[in-house]
Amino acid sequence: MGAAEAALIFVAGVVAGTINTVVGSGTLVTFPTLLFFGYAPVMANVSNTIGLVAGGLTGSWGYRHELRGARSTLLRWAPMSFLGGIVGAVLLLVLDPAAFKAIVPVLIGLGVLLVAFGPRLTAWTTARRGESTTGMALGEHSRRRAALLAFCVFAGAIYGGYFGAAQGVILMGVLTTLTSESLQSLNGIKNVLATIVNSVAALTFIIVAPEEVHWGVAGLIAAGSLLGGVLGARVGRRLPPQVLRAVIIVIGVIAIVRMLWFS
């Protein structure tokens, strides 16, 4: 690995750590960067997942004030993220690598669409919050909503363990649709849940398939995302969302084109 390659991977880690904390699509930066330098898709995904854990930790710590009062919520959803992360990681390792090459462009495309239409989704969910629950008892509604939330968090964790791009965006879409918590509180919860998913997936990869881990790449991304998580928590929220969204969309489209072109 040359100095220029190492520097660019580190910078990609910084950007990914920042975006993950603020938006939740940092893999759309680091993953195509690794593909550009010729790393195999599965190795790139595994090493990237391990590296981004560090940024998740600093990003979650940066949102500690927004997480006050969310302990009971996290205790309910954390097991779903833990189990889903394991399932997603195992799927990545047991499925044919050819299947991964076929699925990833679709997943990146989904992530790009979610990022692109995020504002409309937020507006729609805000309007939905004002609707009544006529015809359904409040207790029944709460139980059904709680069950749906747990299932969605679990499904999102499977996706995150398999391929983490836009995992945070998916979580935010679900949480803003089915809860009435403030956006900043939900973003803090999102950071913690995504970090749990990445951590358990990373541990699974290290134990089950250490040969797929490129420790040099993982270390560079970890160092970069560690700094990026701090930046995202401190100043990233001040950046115009449109700017971050545009960058993610462009990088995601480039990743899709590159994977399809060279597959």
Side-chain angles (χ1 to χ4, degrees):
M1 183 188 302
E5 177 181 336
L8 287 174
I9 292 174
F10 172 80
V11 171
V14 174
V15 175
T18 303
I19 292 177
N20 271 346
T21 303
V22 180
V23 181
S25 305
T27 294
L28 292 181
V29 176
T30 45
F31 185 71
T33 299
L34 297 181
L35 293 183
F36 175 79
F37 286 114
Y39 295 95
V42 173
M43 176 174 285
N45 191 32
V46 168
S47 304
N48 175 65
T49 298
I50 294 172
L52 289 179
V53 171
L57 294 174
T58 52
S60 297
W61 175 253
Y63 270 82
R64 62 191 181 279
H65 298 299
E66 286 79 6
L67 288 169
R68 290 174 179 170
R71 183 173 181 273
S72 61
T73 299
L74 288 172
L75 287 176
R76 286 197 306 270
W77 295 341
M80 298 296 100
S81 293
F82 183 88
L83 294 174
I86 294 176
V87 173
V90 171
L91 287 176
L92 175 68
L93 296 176
V94 301
L95 291 179
D96 191 324
F100 180 80
K101 290 181 179 180
I103 294 171
V104 165
V106 177
L107 298 181
I108 296 177
L110 174 62
V112 168
L113 288 174
L114 286 169
V115 172
F117 294 101
R120 295 186 182 182
L121 177 61
T122 300
W124 180 79
T125 54
T126 299
R128 289 278 296 176
R129 287 176 185 173
E131 295 181 3
S132 66
T133 56
T134 304
M136 181 184 296
L138 182 59
E140 182 182 0
H141 173 78
S142 298
R143 286 193 297 271
R144 290 186 180 183
R145 185 173 62 175
L148 181 58
L149 266 168
F151 173 79
C152 289
V153 170
F154 177 69
I158 293 176
Y159 169 83
Y162 183 80
F163 184 62
Q167 174 191 184
V169 178
I170 293 173
L171 273 174
M172 286 299 289
V174 170
L175 297 180
T176 56
T177 300
L178 298 175
T179 74
S180 58
E181 298 291 332
S182 70
L183 192 62
Q184 289 298 340
S185 177
L186 291 177
N187 205 29
I189 291 172
K190 175 266 294 179
N191 286 336
V192 174
L193 295 180
T195 301
I196 291 173
V197 172
N198 284 344
S199 298
V200 70
L203 185 60
T204 302
F205 294 146
I206 292 170
I207 294 174
V208 178
E211 71 280 359
E212 293 290 356
V213 181
H214 192 296
W215 287 107
V217 167
L220 287 168
I221 293 178
S225 67
L226 191 72
L227 174 60
V230 174
L231 293 175
R234 291 187 177 181
V235 302
R237 286 174 290 176
R238 302 176 185 175
L239 297 176
Q242 296 83 355
V243 175
L244 286 174
R245 191 172 294 112
V247 171
I248 296 168
I249 291 171
V250 170
I251 292 175
V253 170
I254 292 174
I256 293 171
V257 171
R258 191 181 189 285
M259 289 201 71
L260 293 177
W261 186 266
F262 291 101
S263 61

